[in-house]
Amino acid sequence: MEDRMNKMYELTVWLANELEKSRIADYTQLLHRPFRLIWLNLLSGTARGVGYGIGLTLFGATIIYLLQALGALNLPIIGDYIADLVRIVQRQLQL
């Protein structure tokens, strides 16, 4: 009987530790304050959007730089195609 009580106690302690790790108490407090939940979601969505914008800009700039470098190599068919793409992009950037 004592062995079963010890196992049940260990299981209860383990479960309490797991719940503490999952921060379930913080989550339930957040659910009771809906305006804070909305504010945090708005803030995280804005940060995610800005991050996507910066990442896409850096990626696009890198691609354009590589295309310009390939265009400077004067490759027969590929060079003309890349030069046209670079001209189109530069024209769009000037608008």
Side-chain angles (χ1 to χ4, degrees):
M1 183 70 165
E2 189 173 318
D3 187 41
R4 286 182 74 184
M5 290 296 275
N6 283 336
K7 284 186 180 185
M8 189 174 286
Y9 174 75
E10 289 174 9
L11 181 62
T12 306
V13 169
W14 176 82
L15 186 60
N17 287 335
E18 290 298 313
L19 285 173
E20 188 65 34
K21 285 182 196 175
S22 69
R23 301 178 67 152
I24 195 82
D26 294 338
Y27 181 68
T28 55
Q29 284 180 348
L30 193 61
L31 288 177
H32 290 293
R33 295 166 49 189
F35 291 113
R36 179 158 168 75
L37 180 64
I38 291 170
W39 172 249
L40 288 176
N41 283 331
L42 180 69
L43 198 63
S44 67
T46 304
R48 189 174 299 127
V50 169
Y52 286 155
I54 291 171
L56 186 61
T57 301
L58 291 175
F59 181 72
T62 304
I63 294 298
I64 290 173
Y65 177 76
L66 290 175
L67 287 175
Q68 284 178 340
L70 282 175
L73 293 177
N74 290 330
L75 300 172
I77 297 173
I78 299 173
D80 294 334
Y81 180 69
I82 291 173
D84 289 339
L85 281 175
V86 170
R87 267 190 242 113
I88 291 169
V89 170
Q90 286 178 343
R91 197 174 306 135
Q92 286 294 324
L93 288 175
Q94 291 175 355
L95 294 177

